[in-house]
Amino acid sequence: MDYTKISKEEILNWMKKNLSEERYEHCLGTAECAKELAEQFHEDENKAYVAGLLHDCAKCFDNEKLLDIIHKNLKVDENELMNYKTLHAPVSAYCANKDFGVCDNEILSAIRWHTLGKKDMTNFEKIIFLADKIEPNTRDKEYREEICKILKENNGLDKALLRCYKETIKSLVKRELKICPATIDIYNNLIDITNSKECK
């Protein structure tokens, strides 16, 4: 498969063994959705498919294994360690490179930031972030349709991202979970970006 050193069949076999059935279906859906969004926004479709397929490859590792890989191999800001639900993102990027031979920096970065996000994401990174949230196999249909509608508007990528961050923050507050300071910074930045572009 393009951008990997092993075949698609080998990757899928690995994923079947290392992911839950629901997570496996989610990854397939994210890959297809990423490919569609890449076509819509004129990005590399094959690259987007690979990023979508591998974005959650470490999702089913237990927290001890995730933290072990992070502490031994990666530089992760302490704020990211506040919520265990985001630990799999940097580890998935690490595994994409180490286990599947992905060397493309754009793919690795998109996987790395698909949960928390960051300021000034590229369009490719935004696509993978959004595909994860709206893929058709496991995500809410009504929410997916809302985001897809927003994506058709002017400045649709940033507007869709802002809508996702609003939902994420609401969900974290509702569940009484900590909010990473970076999430608030990204949310504020997206408000500034969308407001400034609407005024032009």
Side-chain angles (χ1 to χ4, degrees), residues 30-55:
T30 302
E32 290 296 337
C33 184
K35 186 176 180 180
E36 292 170 5
L37 291 177
E39 180 181 13
Q40 182 178 347
F41 291 99
H42 312 293
E43 295 288 336
D44 187 315
E45 296 172 41
N46 291 329
K47 186 185 287 193
Y49 184 91
V50 171
L53 187 64
L54 297 178
H55 81 287

Side-chain angles (χ1 to χ4, degrees), residues 26-92:
H26 166 69
C27 288
L28 293 180
T30 302
E32 290 296 337
C33 184
K35 186 176 180 180
E36 292 170 5
L37 291 177
E39 180 181 13
Q40 182 178 347
F41 291 99
H42 312 293
E43 295 288 336
D44 187 315
E45 296 172 41
N46 291 329
K47 186 185 287 193
Y49 184 91
V50 171
L53 187 64
L54 297 178
H55 81 287
D56 267 357
C57 62
K59 181 69 174 180
C60 293
F61 293 177
D62 61 42
N63 290 336
E64 185 177 348
K65 182 174 182 178
L66 291 169
L67 287 170
D68 184 59
I69 292 173
I70 287 171
H71 291 317
K72 288 181 178 177
N73 304 283
L74 304 171
K75 291 182 179 179
V76 175
D77 189 277
E78 286 297 318
N79 285 325
E80 279 193 77
L81 305 181
M82 291 169 56
N83 188 339
Y84 284 111
K85 290 185 176 294
T86 63
L87 296 180
H88 71 281
V91 178
S92 290

